[in-house]
Amino acid sequence: MSDSSDLLGGPADDTPGFDLGEPPAPPKSEAYRVLARKYRPQTFAELIGQDAMVTTLGNAIRRGRLAHAFLLTGVRGVGKTSTARLLAKALNCIGPDGQGGPTIDPCGRCEPCVGIAEGRHIDVIEMDAASHTGVDDMRAVIDASRMTAFVARYKIYIIDEVHMLSKNAFNALLKTLEEPAEGVKFVLATTEVNKVPVTVLSRCQRFDLRRIPAEKLADHFARVLDAEGVSAEPEALGLIARAAEGSARDGLSILDQAIAHADMDGGAVSAAAVRDMLGLSDRGAIRDLMTLLLGGDGIGALAALRRQYDLGVDPLGVLRGLLETVHATTLVKLGAAVEPGQATEEREALQGWAASLSFAALHRLWQLLLKGHEEVGRAAMPIEACEMALLRLVHASTLPDPGELARMIQNGAPMAISAPVAPVAAPAGASAEAALPASISEIIDLLERTRNIGLSLRVRHHASLVSLSGTDLVLSSARPLPSDLIGELAGALKSATARNWKITTADTPGAATLRELDAAQYESFKAEIMASPMVRAALDVFPEAEIADSEIESLMKQRSKSV
């Protein structure tokens, strides 16, 4: 039997064989392009969130009023370099038929458009100032800019991160930037415009690219996922959009990671997976923690914090979530529009807190959390510092503010302000009518006895009495009243007296508010003290001396006690 070489032909004989040639090479798989590069805007219509700039450039192109130098500034990832390339395409586009002129809607099919999009056009020179910072690099640019464009309508220099140029490089560029050769344009881009010399700024037409709103980013990410054939929960896209902080590139990078994090068998990008990937605290856990804090449950709050910490959540992330919750509650109390895509549970929780917390309490919570965030950020032991911040919140959030506290001390009010208090009952044998307050002063006393300290202060400051008869109270609206004062006051008086109150306003001057009476009494007492012989003698010796307000208040308090 012949060997295989005989069958196929070869050195054993001269019989022609079958030359199979080299085995075919396996097809090369196309390299994956990250979403941030794959979905880079190719037209101005695809540039999201920069409508004002696009309108200005479009008008300038249509009217032929093109600047010789443009400066694009904004945070990372908002589209500065993409805008520079789009501007180069817009100025050099010749249309599919080769007869077109500058346009805000470049065709994307002509040779200049294709070459610029692929980064190979000879007349569009991109330069990274971070790696070409010296004056010699600028001299090379200046020398080359003296020559007109080779094939395009305009020769365009795109200098990215221009703030990285040295002082000498900026100085070398100034004259050319102000009076470039005919047909030469400069497009400068920077994230730190404050580092660009004023002499350069004055020679450029400046465009500030805005941060892209989270809603527009979420919509953009949804379109990208549709093109990629990937599904995602709306809440997940919202989390990614907020984490991007206005940067489309950052958001697409996070989205790329989230897609890789999802299940391989067609699993959707879930909000839980995004939170886990970003190390964000779960919003449900934040709501539970907020409920524990407002309920004064310190042990429960610390346990909830530790559960988040054990899951890998950064303490700063927990405090940031609480700050966002307080901010959202305040907006709900103001009547702001509901955030798109907000979960029903979160919306109900925010509405409940908005109804039960006053603006003063919300501002106090914000300040305490903000202070805690600052402390944890520079603490040697972050989780312990976070625990102390939450405990401070538990014990301090229900206390009155300093103004209320001073008023309580002055009036001798009891300090157990957090204990629940039953409505004030009428004395035994007295009629219900006799138990009703008969003046603004008595109304304030009733509010203070029922621990409505904040409301009593607002009544003291704003309520100008026109008339009071039983449960019919008329206040003056000659001066603006807080919008929620009447409703809160009616509810508090009903709770305290077990009677329905009718509170109305009249556009007529009323009696002086108790705050105005207190101020008048204070000024009168101060004038009396200043007129006393002993004080006049002391001021003659020490003419620059002054009597502290706290001393005057102390003397007033002593007199009232003696009376």
Side-chain angles (χ1 to χ4, degrees):
M1 176 180 287
S2 314
D3 58 18
S4 59
S5 61
D6 293 332
L7 291 173
L8 298 176
D13 56 33
D14 295 332
T15 305
F18 301 96
D19 185 6
L20 300 179
E22 294 292 332
K28 292 183 179 180
S29 59
E30 185 178 351
Y32 177 70
R33 297 179 67 200
V34 295
L35 298 180
R37 293 185 59 196
K38 186 176 181 180
Y39 292 96
R40 184 186 291 272
Q42 297 301 317
T43 65
F44 280 105
E46 297 176 6
L47 191 66
I48 58 176
Q50 312 300 339
D51 297 339
M53 181 197 67
V54 172
T55 300
T56 303
L57 285 176
N59 291 339
I61 291 173
R62 281 188 286 271
R63 294 170 182 171
R65 303 179 65 88
L66 294 171
H68 56 270
F70 302 87
L71 177 69
L72 308 177
T73 179
V75 298
R76 80 248 175 253
V78 293
K80 297 184 297 297
T81 305
S82 295
T83 300
R85 293 174 181 172
L86 290 175
L87 184 58
K89 290 166 64 175
L91 297 181
N92 284 324
C93 178
I94 58 176
D97 57 359
Q99 303 300 317
T103 173
I104 195 65
D105 298 311
C107 66
R109 299 194 301 274
C110 64
E111 176 56 32
C113 286
V114 174
I116 294 170
E118 295 176 354
R120 56 175 175 78
H121 200 284
I122 192 173
D123 288 322
V124 178
I125 301 95
E126 291 193 34
M127 171 183 168
D128 177 19
S131 54
H132 299 82
T133 61
V135 66
D136 291 337
D137 298 307
M138 279 301 101
R139 287 198 183 106
V141 171
I142 294 167
D143 291 341
S145 67
R146 293 193 180 103
M147 295 182 290
T148 58
F150 290 100
V151 293
R153 185 180 296 112
Y154 293 102
K155 176 181 282 190
I156 298 176
Y157 288 89
I158 300 174
I159 306 179
D160 203 7
E161 299 300 339
V162 71
H163 66 272
M164 300 291 287
L165 291 178
S166 67
K167 181 179 179 180
N168 290 337
F170 272 125
N171 290 335
L173 182 62
L174 285 179
K175 189 62 178 176
T176 301
L177 197 61
E178 183 174 16
E179 298 178 4
E182 187 70 24
V184 175
K185 306 287 184 185
F186 285 89
V187 183
L188 315 181
T190 178
T191 54
E192 299 184 49
V193 70
N194 58 302
K195 294 184 179 180
V196 179
V198 177
T199 50
V200 173
L201 295 177
S202 65
R203 289 164 166 82
C204 300
Q205 191 172 94
R206 173 174 168 175
F207 292 96
D208 290 80
L209 277 69
R210 302 176 180 178
R211 289 182 184 271
I212 305 171
E215 296 81 8
K216 289 190 175 183
L217 280 178
D219 292 341
H220 178 58
F221 298 156
R223 291 192 295 270
V224 169
L225 289 181
D226 286 342
E228 292 290 312
V230 180
S231 59
E233 296 177 0
E235 187 180 354
L237 297 181
L239 289 171
I240 296 173
R242 285 193 290 271
E245 297 182 341
S247 169
R249 184 177 62 233
D250 288 7
L252 288 172
S253 297
I254 298 172
L255 186 62
D256 237 335
Q257 186 178 356
I259 294 173
H261 194 76
D263 295 334
M264 292 295 292
D265 54 351
V269 176
S270 65
V274 172
R275 287 194 195 95
D276 181 58
M277 181 186 74
L278 297 177
L280 297 176
S281 181
D282 181 75
R283 295 180 82 87
I286 288 294
R287 291 196 298 271
D288 294 340
L289 178 57
M290 188 74 173
T291 302
L292 293 169
L293 292 172
L294 295 177
D297 187 354
I299 297 298
L302 293 187
L305 173 64
R306 281 289 178 174
R307 285 195 295 272
Q308 291 291 294
Y309 184 70
D310 292 340
L311 290 172
V313 178
D314 183 41
L316 280 175
V318 174
L319 291 176
R320 193 178 301 113
L322 291 171
L323 282 166
E324 290 174 353
T325 301
V326 172
H327 178 256
T329 303
T330 307
L331 293 182
V332 171
K333 192 170 183 68
L334 282 171
V338 177
E339 180 182 342
Q342 192 176 69
T344 303
E345 297 83 359
E346 183 173 4
R347 183 166 58 252
E348 291 175 350
L350 294 177
Q351 290 172 347
W353 291 326
S356 61
L357 295 172
S358 65
F359 281 112
L362 288 168
H363 294 324
R364 191 157 57 249
L365 286 169
W366 176 265
Q367 292 297 329
L368 289 168
L369 286 168
L370 204 60
K371 180 176 177 59
H373 188 277
E374 178 185 352
E375 291 176 352
V376 172
R378 51 185 171 82
M381 299 183 293
I383 184 61
E384 288 80 4
C386 188
E387 289 178 340
M388 296 303 293
L390 294 187
L391 288 177
R392 183 168 63 233
L393 193 73
V394 168
H395 294 294
S397 62
T398 57
L399 293 177
D401 59 37
E404 295 177 14
L405 190 59
R407 184 69 63 184
M408 292 173 65
I409 294 173
Q410 180 178 348
N411 295 337
M415 296 304 295
I417 62 173
S418 60
V421 179
V424 175
S431 66
E433 192 69 28
L436 295 174
S439 66
I440 287 292
S441 179
E442 292 184 12
I443 288 176
I444 290 175
D445 291 340
L446 178 59
L447 293 174
E448 290 178 348
R449 291 200 304 273
T450 54
R451 308 300 190 268
N452 287 297
I453 305 299
L455 181 57
S456 71
L457 282 174
R458 297 173 70 200
V459 172
R460 180 182 294 273
H461 287 190
H462 300 288
S464 174
L465 180 65
V466 174
S467 65
L468 174 59
S469 176
T471 58
D472 289 339
L473 173 62
V474 181
L475 300 178
S476 171
S477 61
R479 288 177 295 181
L481 289 171
S483 59
D484 56 351
L485 177 63
I486 291 178
E488 289 189 21
L489 181 57
L493 290 177
K494 179 181 178 180
S495 177
T497 63
R499 300 283 298 275
N500 288 323
W501 282 70
K502 180 182 178 182
I503 304 178
T504 57
T505 60
D507 189 12
T508 181
T513 65
L514 286 191
R515 182 185 184 186
E516 292 170 340
L517 293 176
D518 289 344
Q521 183 182 4
Y522 175 85
E523 293 298 330
S524 175
F525 187 74
K526 181 177 180 180
E528 181 182 342
I529 292 175
M530 299 295 290
S532 65
M534 183 181 297
V535 173
R536 286 206 310 269
L539 292 177
D540 290 339
V541 179
F542 304 100
E544 297 183 359
E546 295 180 358
I547 302 178
D549 292 340
S550 58
E551 291 296 328
I552 297 177
E553 292 175 357
S554 177
L555 292 171
M556 286 181 65
K557 191 180 299 183
Q558 292 175 16
R559 171 180 283 190
S560 63
K561 287 182 178 179
S562 64
V563 173

